[in-house]
């Protein structure tokens, strides 16, 4: 298998539990499915049959109090230039879907900044992580390197993990080391919502180098006091507590969140020994050294001083865990510690006229490998220290008008220091400067937004040579690139039928790991060409007049030139290579509905055809590895008195494990069933206005053996019990 890289560095595409495992490309992931599966077509037809009875979410929260990134610029409580009291001249915009039950639903937001889906997290239970939430989104697949809390690899519309841009409150998170979206950097406990932009990375967010973006949004309004706790199978425990404060004059607010979780992850799994068509050698084993301990806190503050709104946020997370490794190269004694801290500052003049953002982050990852199970040639301890500092200024002088331009400047610097046995490797630095511009053109019910971003990237580094006689590249390399995009939204029927279309072009420069490798595991390739990304899509959103239902169907086409994947070049190492052109076409279907006090339904389906178009006869026309053609999800919840049962069915079609696409190299289709129930209990004994909610859930009810990535088994049947006390 192309990604069985073995005993190399913890940043290897297929190794470990640290943050650098996000470097695993889409084309270096594999899966093993359930032996029994329900055809996803029938699942989706069943969901579609419910549409005439569906209903859209209420508008009680709308978009107020939460930042929405769209149309090029970030603003508190509004889509840039779009919402004034919730209405754009000539266009009525989407309300945000909010539910009070544990299971999540998502709602589409018609916008010129890409096909956007927003997920509300206010009522998610403690212990859920971002990867699990994103996996339920149309067009976005997530492959895990093990259990919840382990590294996860996203793919959006057939793109690699490095093409999925990750942001926190509009400021970038991915580092220059591997360029990938590190989904484990920010705990879900501190978030209010997640927005997924497909096809376009808004120019203000850093629109170059990606096929889409995930924007993590922290809380904007101080919350009422709450305390949540959960327990689950295989030693899972989690705790979350929070409190908010607002001054009497309502000009100052403070929000504090603390969270902790642990898990032993000593589950039993089926080891197929890589002989997928021979069950005679299958054996049951227990996963070892997959334990996890995590804790952290976040503080947010806001102050309204005349015409200026000020916001600040600071967070810290520490995670300790075993580094079990893949089944073929177990590392039962290796451990990883990761610490991450971040700071966000924002000043907003006249609700978006002029905004300034400053972000700083620091990540410290330490691998303890006393027996050389991870680094066979270099046993002992290693450390990676990453730091970044960035800022952005945006000016929007005519928001809400027929012609509304937006301009901005961005700047960012990143440092990477690595230590092996306390010996420092040469420091690597990356500096990025950017200019972005967008203009919203509104004519009646039509809005068109052309946007453009120019960015200069300068890398200063000394290479880590593979051999003593290797030449050293120039100490400073500069590259310029631009990322134009065009989006349009038309309100065909007032408040009910929207049509949107987007086209974007970007270029992704190779990351440091791809260019210069990692000692002991990944060979550098200094001849790599940058990836060129072109994306087109069109979407239709339907909302009946009674306001009870959201439905969207989107068609997309994404092409990557000089696509980069990791290729296993020796038994224990890999190397990034350009494979030429790759193209993905597909459809995305999303639905969210409810009948007040009776039921709620949410579903999505992604069909994609991702193929190699390199022109090389041996691979041309074959499907790209690890990208199933069909993924579907259906979630149904009933409000049966005080009890609220729910069920969730997910399906994934078979997919290839390598570029040759032979029968033996295909992972079978799989279907998973999750069941749960929740209930709000009388809590007068806790005080007036205090609510007590209990819930229980069982995932993978049929106990199917599952691998997202070969060599990293996922647990079978698991359970979780949660208790939440709110408004203490």
């Amino acid at each position: 298998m192309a990604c069985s890289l073995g005993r190399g560095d913890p940043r290897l595409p297929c190794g470990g539990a640290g943050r650098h495992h996000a470097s695993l490309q889409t084309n270096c992931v594999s899966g093993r499915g359930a032996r029994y599966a329900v055809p996803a077509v029938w699942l989706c037809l069943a969901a579609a049959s419910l549409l005439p009875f569906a209903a859209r979410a209420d508008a009680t929260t709308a978009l107020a109090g939460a930042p929405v990134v769209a149309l090029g610029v970030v603003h508190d409580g509004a889509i840039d230039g779009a919402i004034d009291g919730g209405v754009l001249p000539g266009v009525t915009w989407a309300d945000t879907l909010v539910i009070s039950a544990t299971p999540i639903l998502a709602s589409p937001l018609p916008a010129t900044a890409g096909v956007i889906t927003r997920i509300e997290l206010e009522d998610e239970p403690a212990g859920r992580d971002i990867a699990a939430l994103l996996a339920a989104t149309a067009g976005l697949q997530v492959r895990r390197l093990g259990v919840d809390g382990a590294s996860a690899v996203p793919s959006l519309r057939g793109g690699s993990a490095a093409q999925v841009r990750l942001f926190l409150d509009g400021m970038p998170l991915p580092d220059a080391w591997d360029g990938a979206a590190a989904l484990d950097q920010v705990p879900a406990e501190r978030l209010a919502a997640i927005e997924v932009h497909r096809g376009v990375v808004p120019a203000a967010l850093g629109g170059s180098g990606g096929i889409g973006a995930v924007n993590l949004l922290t809380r904007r309004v101080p919350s009422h006091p709450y305390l949540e706790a959960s327990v689950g199978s295989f030693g899972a425990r989690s705790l979350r507590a929070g409190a908010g404060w607002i001054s009497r004059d309502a000009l100052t607010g403070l929000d504090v969140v603390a969270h902790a979780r642990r898990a032993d992850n000593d589950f039993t799994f089926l080891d197929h020994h890589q002989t997928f068509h021979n069950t005679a050698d299958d054996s049951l084993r227990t996963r070892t050294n997959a334990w996890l301990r995590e804790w952290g806190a976040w503080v947010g503050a806001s102050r309204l001083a005349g015409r200026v709104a000020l916001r600040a946020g600071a967070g810290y997370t520490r995670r300790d865990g075993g580094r079990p490794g893949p089944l073929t190269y177990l590392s039962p004694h290796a451990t990883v510690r990761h610490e991450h801290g971040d700071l966000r500052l924002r000043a907003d003049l006249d609700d978006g006229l002029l905004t300034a953002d400053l972000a700083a982050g620091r990540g410290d990852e330490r691998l303890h490998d006393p027996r050389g199970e991870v680094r066979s040639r270099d046993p002992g301890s290693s450390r990676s220290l990453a730091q970044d500092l960035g800022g952005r200024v945006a000016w929007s002088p005519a928001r809400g008008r027929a012609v509304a331009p937006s301009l901005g400047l961005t700047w960012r610097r990143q440092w990477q220091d690595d230590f092996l046995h306390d010996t420092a490797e040469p420091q690597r630095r990356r500096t990025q400067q950017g200019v972005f511009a967008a203009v919203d053109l509104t004519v009646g019910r039509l809005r068109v937004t052309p946007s453009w971003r120019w960015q200069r990237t300068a890398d200063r580094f000394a290479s880590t040579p593979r051999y003593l006689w290797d030449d050293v590249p120039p100490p400073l390399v500069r590259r310029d690139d631009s990322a134009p995009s065009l989006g349009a939204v038309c309100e065909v029927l007032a408040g009910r039928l929207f049509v949107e279309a987007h086209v974007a072009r970007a270029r992704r420069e190779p990351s440091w790991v791809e260019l210069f490798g990692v000692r002991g595991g990944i060979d550098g390739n200094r001849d790599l060409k940058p990836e060129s990304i072109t994306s087109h899509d069109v979407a239709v959103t339907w909302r009946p007049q009674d306001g009870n239902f959201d439905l969207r169907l989107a068609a997309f086409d994404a092409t990557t030139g000089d696509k980069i994947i990791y290729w296993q070049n020796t038994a224990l190492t890999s190397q990034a290579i350009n494979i030429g052109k790759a193209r993905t076409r597909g459809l995305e279907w999303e639905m969210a509905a409810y009948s007040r006090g009776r039921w709620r339904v949410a579903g999505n389906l992604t069909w994609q055809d991702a193929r190699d178009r390199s022109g090389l006869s041996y691979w041309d026309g074959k499907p790209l590895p690890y990208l199933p053609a069909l993924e579907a999800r259906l979630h149904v919840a009933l409000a049966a008195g005080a009890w609220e049962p729910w069920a969730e069915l997910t399906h994934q079609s078979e997919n290839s494990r390598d570029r040759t696409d032979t029968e033996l190299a295909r992972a079978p289709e799989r279907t998973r069933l999750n069941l749960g129930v929740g209930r709000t209990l009388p809590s007068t004994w806790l005080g007036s206005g205090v609510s007590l909610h209990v819930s229980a859930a069982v995932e993978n009810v049929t106990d199917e053996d599952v691998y997202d990535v070969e060599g990293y088994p996922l647990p079978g049947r698991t359970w979780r019990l949660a208790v939440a006390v709110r408004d203490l």
Side-chain angles (χ1 to χ4, degrees):
M1 189 181 73
C3 63
S4 296
L5 303 180
R7 308 161 70 92
D9 189 271
R11 290 173 290 271
L12 284 181
C14 285
R19 73 181 172 93
H20 293 293
H21 298 106
S23 65
L24 175 64
Q25 301 293 306
T26 299
N27 301 94
C28 194
V29 186
S30 62
R32 174 175 170 84
R35 292 190 176 94
Y36 172 78
V38 177
V41 173
W42 295 109
L43 182 154
C44 297
L45 288 177
S49 67
L50 297 172
L51 298 183
F53 308 100
R56 185 168 59 93
D58 62 48
T60 54
T61 58
L63 293 171
V68 175
V69 180
L71 310 180
V73 179
V74 179
H75 287 297
D76 292 341
I79 295 180
D80 169 39
I83 293 181
D84 183 7
V87 178
L88 171 77
V91 179
T92 301
W93 291 86
D95 298 321
T96 298
L97 178 63
V98 178
I99 62 170
S100 59
T102 294
I104 64 168
L105 298 180
S107 67
L109 295 174
T112 56
V115 177
I116 304 176
T117 298
R118 182 180 171 96
I119 304 172
E120 297 293 341
L121 305 183
E122 292 289 357
D123 296 299
E124 276 298 290
R128 293 294 297 272
D129 64 354
I130 294 171
L133 300 169
L134 291 177
T137 306
L140 198 154
Q141 295 84 34
V142 177
R143 303 290 176 261
R144 287 191 176 279
L145 292 168
V147 294
D148 286 356
S151 295
V153 184
S155 172
L156 200 155
R157 292 183 172 178
S160 65
Q163 293 179 2
V164 181
R165 315 305 295 160
L166 186 65
F167 302 88
L168 178 63
D169 288 332
M171 297 299 288
L173 275 178
D175 60 0
W177 181 253
D178 55 22
L183 299 180
D184 57 348
Q185 283 193 16
V186 181
E189 282 81 0
R190 59 190 279 191
L191 302 179
I194 300 175
E195 286 179 349
V196 180
H197 297 247
R198 303 195 291 277
V200 177
V201 182
L205 289 181
S208 59
I211 199 171
V214 175
N215 192 22
L216 311 175
L217 305 175
T218 55
R219 302 172 187 271
R220 294 280 167 163
V221 179
S223 61
H224 295 286
Y226 62 89
L227 176 64
E228 300 174 3
S230 69
V231 297
S233 51
F234 313 117
R237 306 286 189 274
S238 63
L239 183 68
R240 176 173 63 170
W245 171 81
I246 301 178
S247 62
R248 290 187 176 182
D249 58 8
L251 298 180
T252 304
L254 182 68
D255 198 22
V256 179
V257 177
H259 55 88
R261 63 171 170 165
R262 55 154 292 171
D264 298 329
N265 294 321
D266 52 350
F267 55 89
T268 301
F269 65 95
L270 181 67
D271 186 357
H272 46 66
H273 299 283
Q274 300 291 313
T275 56
F276 306 114
H277 287 253
N278 178 19
T279 60
D281 62 350
D282 291 356
S283 61
L284 291 177
R285 299 177 60 185
T286 299
R287 190 64 162 152
T288 59
N289 198 33
W291 59 275
L292 171 72
R293 307 289 186 269
E294 179 183 286
W295 61 273
W298 177 78
V299 178
S302 60
R303 172 67 180 176
L304 183 61
R307 298 169 56 190
V308 179
L310 303 174
R311 293 195 70 255
Y316 172 82
T317 303
R318 171 173 164 175
R319 175 183 298 156
D320 294 88
R323 197 284 194 187
L327 297 178
T328 49
Y329 295 97
L330 294 173
S331 47
H333 303 94
T335 60
V336 174
R337 170 182 293 180
H338 177 61
E339 298 178 78
H340 183 264
D342 61 89
L343 174 68
R344 297 288 188 274
L345 301 174
R346 179 182 177 86
D348 189 334
L349 174 65
D350 289 345
D351 193 24
L353 174 63
L354 183 66
T355 60
D357 293 270
L358 179 67
R362 184 179 188 272
D364 189 354
E365 182 175 282
R366 307 186 186 207
L367 171 70
H368 184 56
D369 182 28
R371 303 191 184 185
E373 296 166 336
V374 178
R375 287 174 175 247
S376 59
R377 299 179 183 176
D378 298 302
S381 299
S382 61
R383 180 186 182 190
S384 294
L385 180 63
Q387 303 176 79
D388 71 89
L389 179 67
R392 175 182 57 203
V393 177
W395 179 53
S396 304
R399 296 179 61 223
R401 298 182 182 178
V403 179
S406 299
L407 303 172
L409 303 173
T410 62
W411 176 87
R412 190 184 187 195
R413 173 163 289 182
Q414 301 170 79
W415 301 266
Q416 178 80 27
D417 293 280
D418 290 283
F419 304 86
L420 181 62
H421 311 310
D422 296 324
T423 301
E425 300 278 354
Q427 186 186 72
R428 291 168 177 167
R429 299 190 298 274
R430 168 168 289 182
T431 303
Q432 293 176 315
Q433 302 164 335
V435 179
F436 64 87
V439 57
D440 301 330
L441 307 173
T442 305
V443 180
R445 295 180 178 179
L446 174 66
R447 162 162 286 176
V448 178
T449 304
S451 64
W452 171 83
R453 180 184 178 92
W454 170 86
Q455 182 169 282
R456 167 166 289 179
T457 301
D459 285 331
R460 185 181 293 275
F461 44 75
S463 173
T464 301
R466 289 174 294 170
Y467 310 105
L468 294 177
W469 55 84
D470 268 1
D471 61 328
V472 178
L476 180 64
V477 178
R478 289 191 178 95
R479 299 175 303 278
D480 296 337
D481 64 84
S482 61
S485 65
L486 178 65
V489 176
C490 180
E491 187 183 29
V492 180
L493 297 177
R496 290 183 290 173
L497 181 62
F498 300 85
V499 177
E500 53 185 312
H502 314 89
V503 58
R505 188 180 66 197
R507 188 174 76 162
R508 184 184 77 84
E509 294 290 341
S511 67
W512 289 338
V513 170
E514 293 166 337
L515 285 171
F516 303 105
V518 175
R519 190 188 300 274
I522 299 179
D523 292 337
N525 184 355
R526 300 169 194 173
D527 297 323
L528 281 176
K529 300 176 182 178
E531 293 181 328
S532 59
I533 306 166
T534 303
S535 177
H536 308 81
D537 62 52
V538 60
V540 178
T541 302
W542 169 249
R543 292 180 168 138
Q545 194 168 8
D546 56 6
N548 298 332
F549 169 58
D550 281 325
L551 172 66
R552 177 163 62 193
L553 179 65
F556 66 88
D557 183 300
T559 301
T560 299
D562 295 313
K563 185 176 179 65
I564 298 173
I565 69 169
Y566 282 98
W567 181 258
Q568 186 174 356
N569 58 343
T570 72
L572 297 178
T573 63
S574 68
Q575 184 180 52
I577 62 172
N578 294 110
I579 66 168
K581 185 177 178 181
R583 184 175 185 178
T584 304
R585 296 177 175 178
L587 298 173
E588 298 164 349
W589 173 84
E590 300 172 272
M591 181 269 290
Y594 85 98
S595 176
R596 188 179 301 276
R598 297 176 58 189
W599 52 265
R600 290 187 305 277
V601 177
N604 63 64
L605 180 147
T606 301
W607 173 83
Q608 61 184 5
D609 182 30
R611 295 190 178 273
D612 188 313
R613 296 299 180 188
S614 62
L616 301 175
S617 59
Y618 189 68
W619 290 297
D620 190 71
K622 293 185 177 181
L624 295 177
Y626 323 118
L627 292 175
L630 190 66
E631 287 196 346
R633 170 182 176 265
L634 178 64
H635 181 97
V636 179
L638 302 177
W643 294 94
E644 187 170 286
W646 59 268
E648 184 177 74
L649 192 64
T650 61
H651 177 80
Q652 180 186 107
S653 65
E654 70 173 9
N655 59 94
S656 178
R657 292 186 176 99
D658 60 37
R659 294 176 68 195
T660 60
D661 190 36
T662 62
E663 182 180 356
L664 290 176
R666 292 177 188 157
E669 64 179 1
R670 73 187 194 198
T671 299
R672 292 184 56 173
L673 174 65
N674 304 325
L675 299 174
V677 64
R679 183 179 181 183
T680 300
L681 300 175
S683 55
T684 54
W685 54 278
L686 290 174
S688 177
V690 177
S691 64
L692 177 65
H693 185 82
V694 297
S695 61
V698 179
E699 297 186 359
N700 196 0
V701 174
T702 54
D703 199 24
E704 305 293 344
D705 64 287
V706 178
Y707 287 74
D708 272 353
V709 179
E710 291 303 335
Y712 292 88
L714 298 176
R717 184 185 301 112
T718 59
W719 58 269
R720 179 187 294 270
L721 298 175
V723 178
V725 182
R726 299 184 178 274
D727 297 339
L728 289 171

